Amino acid sequence: MKNNTNLYKRHSKWYERLFFSTTTQIIIMTLVSAVFPAFLMWGSYFFVVPKDTQLNSFLGVIVSNALALIILRMLLKFPGDRSSGFIISAILSCYSVLFVLFFIFRLDYSIVFLMISLLFSLAYAFVGYFLGRRWIIPKIALVPVGKALYLLETTQATWFVIENPEAVEKRRYNMIVADLYASELSPEWQKFLANCVLAGVPVYNAKQVEESLTGRVRIRHMYENQLGSLLPSPVYSLIKRFIDVVAVLFVMPIVLPIMLITAIIIKLESKGGALFIQKRVGKGGKEFNIYKFRSMAHDSEKDGAKFASASDMRVTRVGKFIRKTRIDELPQFFNVLKGDMSLIGPRPEQKVFVDQFEKSIPFYNYRHIVRPGISGWAQVMQGYTADVEDTQIKVEFDFYYIKHFSLWLDVLIVFKTIKTMLTGFGAR
């Protein structure tokens, strides 16, 4: 058995660990996108007696790159997008913040140096992404008993089924996964897993791995996951509220003209008000009025509330555009200022749907423990839901958000929301 467990390597080879460490990445990126461009533009004299403009630009690039790499390191812990576009968006965001800080504090900087450094940073990110793709998808050995078999349907990993604990294939894996509570887990399998742990091989329960790969938390019975473990942090709840208000006030000068133009176009296209006001269920199960730009005919719900469908005839021409780009959600910034909503959180539903889902979906109302959001984990991971089955999956995404309620997850959702706005993912 010892020979078998030694075939599983918990860690990568030393050069893989070195290359992918945050410190090493920061050093390499500093050399590539700060030191090298500085030498090309200003020569060796810069490193002896730099000018204020040069020094501000040089240090700003180093800080931006370090921040981008730290953000990526934190965000990549969560399931979801692993595309190069996601990595590029993080770098562009950090450089954008750098430009804003230079403007606010009236610091001198070299726009040419910053642009060259940005290009080098993006080139380094591309090279690192393509070289590291082989390590992005985990290689997982699976014990084929109990609920662990359901993991084979998950495409976020490469699976290798262990048919016999006495005959382990000679291959390197990132971890071993088993349903540790399965009645079918025989003494032979238990001994095998125990020996793996003693040998320093990582062994995880199937439910834990499923959550980390899919970004969903399944709760069907109380014993599977006590709801107390999903309580959101009260400290971050206060911080999040402060961030919401500051962020909305900051973007209002940009958003208000867009809202004004949108309202005028809606009024010109069809009769009825530009705004659509509707009762939704928010935090604690309390109802509130949600504001949206009207994207349907003014009498679209005269026969009662119902889900929008693909190619819904009730949606106007302008409505299709503002739904795809999410412009129809902009009036909800006022809901955020009022405290009814947050920028990030589970999407609020109408009371008629909430009552329906509470009868058919276990613990559905637990999603009301946090403020609903304009965008959320379920929206960027799943898109639009149109029936009870889709809503069951959406609730599992919402539970994951509540369980991992943090600044880093909110930042990831912001990045993915921007991608959603550009691609129109999930719009109806």
Side-chain angles (χ1 to χ4, degrees), residues 41-69:
M41 286 188 61
W42 304 315
S44 59
Y45 188 74
F46 161 76
F47 300 97
V48 180
V49 186
K51 298 179 181 178
D52 289 342
T53 300
Q54 298 171 344
L55 186 60
N56 291 339
S57 304
F58 182 78
L59 294 178
V61 167
I62 293 176
V63 173
S64 296
N65 289 334
L67 181 61
L69 288 172

Short mmCIF file of all heavy atoms in Angstrom, two decimals, residues 41-69:
data_model
loop_
_atom_site.label_atom_id
_atom_site.label_comp_id
_atom_site.label_asym_id
_atom_site.label_seq_id
_atom_site.Cartn_x
_atom_site.Cartn_y
_atom_site.Cartn_z
N MET A 41 13.63 53.17 -21.95
CA MET A 41 13.25 54.56 -22.14
C MET A 41 14.26 55.54 -21.57
O MET A 41 14.57 56.57 -22.19
CB MET A 41 11.87 54.83 -21.51
CG MET A 41 10.70 54.25 -22.26
SD MET A 41 9.12 54.79 -21.57
CE MET A 41 9.24 56.57 -21.77
N TRP A 42 14.78 55.23 -20.37
CA TRP A 42 15.57 56.22 -19.65
C TRP A 42 17.03 55.80 -19.43
O TRP A 42 17.83 56.59 -18.91
CB TRP A 42 14.90 56.53 -18.31
CG TRP A 42 13.48 56.99 -18.45
CD1 TRP A 42 13.01 57.90 -19.35
CD2 TRP A 42 12.35 56.55 -17.70
NE1 TRP A 42 11.66 58.08 -19.20
CE2 TRP A 42 11.22 57.26 -18.19
CE3 TRP A 42 12.17 55.65 -16.66
CZ2 TRP A 42 9.94 57.07 -17.67
CZ3 TRP A 42 10.90 55.47 -16.14
CH2 TRP A 42 9.79 56.17 -16.64
N GLY A 43 17.36 54.58 -19.76
CA GLY A 43 18.73 54.13 -19.60
C GLY A 43 19.10 53.85 -18.15
O GLY A 43 18.28 53.96 -17.24
N SER A 44 20.37 53.53 -17.95
CA SER A 44 20.82 53.18 -16.61
C SER A 44 20.84 54.37 -15.66
O SER A 44 20.84 54.20 -14.44
CB SER A 44 22.23 52.57 -16.69
OG SER A 44 23.14 53.48 -17.29
N TYR A 45 20.84 55.59 -16.21
CA TYR A 45 20.87 56.79 -15.37
C TYR A 45 19.64 56.87 -14.47
O TYR A 45 19.71 57.42 -13.37
CB TYR A 45 20.96 58.05 -16.24
CG TYR A 45 21.19 59.31 -15.46
CD1 TYR A 45 22.43 59.59 -14.89
CD2 TYR A 45 20.15 60.23 -15.28
CE1 TYR A 45 22.63 60.76 -14.16
CE2 TYR A 45 20.34 61.38 -14.54
CZ TYR A 45 21.58 61.65 -13.99
OH TYR A 45 21.78 62.79 -13.26
N PHE A 46 18.51 56.31 -14.93
CA PHE A 46 17.28 56.33 -14.12
C PHE A 46 17.49 55.63 -12.78
O PHE A 46 16.97 56.07 -11.74
CB PHE A 46 16.14 55.65 -14.89
CG PHE A 46 14.99 55.22 -14.01
CD1 PHE A 46 14.09 56.15 -13.51
CD2 PHE A 46 14.84 53.89 -13.65
CE1 PHE A 46 13.05 55.76 -12.69
CE2 PHE A 46 13.80 53.48 -12.83
CZ PHE A 46 12.90 54.42 -12.35
N PHE A 47 18.26 54.55 -12.76
CA PHE A 47 18.43 53.77 -11.55
C PHE A 47 19.43 54.42 -10.58
O PHE A 47 19.62 53.94 -9.47
CB PHE A 47 18.90 52.35 -11.90
CG PHE A 47 17.92 51.61 -12.77
CD1 PHE A 47 18.10 51.56 -14.14
CD2 PHE A 47 16.81 50.99 -12.22
CE1 PHE A 47 17.19 50.89 -14.95
CE2 PHE A 47 15.91 50.32 -13.02
CZ PHE A 47 16.09 50.27 -14.38
N VAL A 48 20.05 55.53 -11.02
CA VAL A 48 20.98 56.27 -10.16
C VAL A 48 20.31 57.53 -9.61
O VAL A 48 20.23 57.72 -8.40
CB VAL A 48 22.26 56.64 -10.94
CG1 VAL A 48 23.24 57.41 -10.03
CG2 VAL A 48 22.93 55.40 -11.50
N VAL A 49 19.81 58.38 -10.50
CA VAL A 49 19.14 59.62 -10.09
C VAL A 49 17.84 59.77 -10.89
O VAL A 49 17.81 60.48 -11.91
CB VAL A 49 20.05 60.85 -10.31
CG1 VAL A 49 19.38 62.10 -9.72
CG2 VAL A 49 21.41 60.64 -9.69
N PRO A 50 16.78 59.12 -10.47
CA PRO A 50 15.51 59.21 -11.24
C PRO A 50 14.80 60.55 -11.00
O PRO A 50 14.89 61.13 -9.91
CB PRO A 50 14.69 58.06 -10.66
CG PRO A 50 15.18 57.90 -9.26
CD PRO A 50 16.66 58.24 -9.30
N LYS A 51 14.12 61.03 -12.01
CA LYS A 51 13.27 62.21 -11.87
C LYS A 51 11.95 61.82 -11.20
O LYS A 51 11.57 60.65 -11.19
CB LYS A 51 13.00 62.82 -13.24
CG LYS A 51 14.25 63.31 -13.96
CD LYS A 51 13.90 63.88 -15.33
CE LYS A 51 15.15 64.35 -16.06
NZ LYS A 51 14.83 64.87 -17.41
N ASP A 52 11.25 62.83 -10.64
CA ASP A 52 10.00 62.55 -9.94
C ASP A 52 8.98 61.88 -10.87
O ASP A 52 8.29 60.93 -10.48
CB ASP A 52 9.41 63.85 -9.38
CG ASP A 52 10.22 64.39 -8.21
OD1 ASP A 52 11.01 63.61 -7.63
OD2 ASP A 52 10.07 65.58 -7.88
N THR A 53 8.86 62.36 -12.10
CA THR A 53 7.91 61.78 -13.06
C THR A 53 8.24 60.32 -13.33
O THR A 53 7.36 59.47 -13.35
CB THR A 53 7.95 62.57 -14.38
OG1 THR A 53 7.58 63.93 -14.13
CG2 THR A 53 6.98 61.96 -15.39
N GLN A 54 9.52 60.03 -13.50
CA GLN A 54 9.95 58.67 -13.77
C GLN A 54 9.73 57.76 -12.57
O GLN A 54 9.23 56.63 -12.71
CB GLN A 54 11.43 58.67 -14.17
CG GLN A 54 11.73 59.45 -15.44
CD GLN A 54 13.23 59.61 -15.67
OE1 GLN A 54 14.04 59.40 -14.77
NE2 GLN A 54 13.60 60.00 -16.89
N LEU A 55 10.10 58.27 -11.38
CA LEU A 55 9.97 57.45 -10.17
C LEU A 55 8.51 57.16 -9.85
O LEU A 55 8.16 56.03 -9.48
CB LEU A 55 10.64 58.16 -8.99
CG LEU A 55 10.73 57.36 -7.69
CD1 LEU A 55 11.52 56.08 -7.89
CD2 LEU A 55 11.34 58.21 -6.57
N ASN A 56 7.64 58.17 -9.98
CA ASN A 56 6.20 57.96 -9.72
C ASN A 56 5.64 56.89 -10.65
O ASN A 56 4.89 56.00 -10.23
CB ASN A 56 5.43 59.27 -9.93
CG ASN A 56 5.75 60.30 -8.86
OD1 ASN A 56 6.23 59.96 -7.78
ND2 ASN A 56 5.48 61.56 -9.17
N SER A 57 6.01 56.99 -11.93
CA SER A 57 5.51 56.02 -12.91
C SER A 57 6.04 54.62 -12.61
O SER A 57 5.30 53.63 -12.66
CB SER A 57 5.92 56.44 -14.32
OG SER A 57 5.47 57.75 -14.61
N PHE A 58 7.32 54.52 -12.30
CA PHE A 58 7.97 53.24 -12.03
C PHE A 58 7.35 52.55 -10.82
O PHE A 58 6.98 51.37 -10.88
CB PHE A 58 9.47 53.46 -11.81
CG PHE A 58 10.25 52.21 -11.58
CD1 PHE A 58 10.60 51.38 -12.65
CD2 PHE A 58 10.66 51.86 -10.30
CE1 PHE A 58 11.33 50.23 -12.44
CE2 PHE A 58 11.39 50.71 -10.08
CZ PHE A 58 11.73 49.89 -11.15
N LEU A 59 7.22 53.28 -9.72
CA LEU A 59 6.64 52.70 -8.50
C LEU A 59 5.16 52.38 -8.69
O LEU A 59 4.66 51.37 -8.18
CB LEU A 59 6.82 53.67 -7.33
CG LEU A 59 8.26 53.93 -6.88
CD1 LEU A 59 8.31 54.96 -5.75
CD2 LEU A 59 8.94 52.64 -6.45
N GLY A 60 4.46 53.23 -9.44
CA GLY A 60 3.03 52.97 -9.69
C GLY A 60 2.82 51.67 -10.45
O GLY A 60 1.89 50.90 -10.15
N VAL A 61 3.68 51.40 -11.44
CA VAL A 61 3.58 50.16 -12.21
C VAL A 61 3.84 48.95 -11.31
O VAL A 61 3.13 47.94 -11.39
CB VAL A 61 4.56 50.19 -13.39
CG1 VAL A 61 4.71 48.80 -14.00
CG2 VAL A 61 4.07 51.17 -14.45
N ILE A 62 4.86 49.05 -10.46
CA ILE A 62 5.18 47.93 -9.56
C ILE A 62 4.00 47.62 -8.64
O ILE A 62 3.60 46.46 -8.48
CB ILE A 62 6.44 48.24 -8.73
CG1 ILE A 62 7.67 48.32 -9.64
CG2 ILE A 62 6.64 47.18 -7.66
CD1 ILE A 62 8.94 48.72 -8.91
N VAL A 63 3.42 48.66 -8.05
CA VAL A 63 2.29 48.46 -7.14
C VAL A 63 1.08 47.90 -7.88
O VAL A 63 0.40 46.99 -7.40
CB VAL A 63 1.92 49.79 -6.44
CG1 VAL A 63 0.64 49.63 -5.63
CG2 VAL A 63 3.06 50.24 -5.53
N SER A 64 0.80 48.41 -9.09
CA SER A 64 -0.35 47.93 -9.87
C SER A 64 -0.19 46.47 -10.23
O SER A 64 -1.14 45.68 -10.11
CB SER A 64 -0.49 48.76 -11.15
OG SER A 64 -0.79 50.11 -10.84
N ASN A 65 0.99 46.07 -10.67
CA ASN A 65 1.22 44.68 -11.04
C ASN A 65 1.13 43.76 -9.83
O ASN A 65 0.55 42.67 -9.91
CB ASN A 65 2.59 44.53 -11.70
CG ASN A 65 2.64 45.15 -13.08
OD1 ASN A 65 1.62 45.27 -13.76
ND2 ASN A 65 3.82 45.54 -13.51
N ALA A 66 1.71 44.18 -8.71
CA ALA A 66 1.64 43.36 -7.49
C ALA A 66 0.19 43.20 -7.05
O ALA A 66 -0.25 42.09 -6.67
CB ALA A 66 2.47 44.00 -6.39
N LEU A 67 -0.56 44.30 -7.10
CA LEU A 67 -1.98 44.24 -6.71
C LEU A 67 -2.76 43.31 -7.64
O LEU A 67 -3.59 42.51 -7.18
CB LEU A 67 -2.58 45.64 -6.73
CG LEU A 67 -4.05 45.77 -6.31
CD1 LEU A 67 -4.23 45.29 -4.88
CD2 LEU A 67 -4.53 47.21 -6.45
N ALA A 68 -2.49 43.40 -8.94
CA ALA A 68 -3.18 42.54 -9.91
C ALA A 68 -2.91 41.07 -9.64
O ALA A 68 -3.81 40.24 -9.67
CB ALA A 68 -2.78 42.91 -11.33
N LEU A 69 -1.65 40.74 -9.36
CA LEU A 69 -1.30 39.34 -9.11
C LEU A 69 -1.90 38.83 -7.81
O LEU A 69 -2.36 37.69 -7.73
CB LEU A 69 0.23 39.20 -9.06
CG LEU A 69 0.95 39.34 -10.41
CD1 LEU A 69 2.45 39.37 -10.22
CD2 LEU A 69 0.55 38.20 -11.34
#
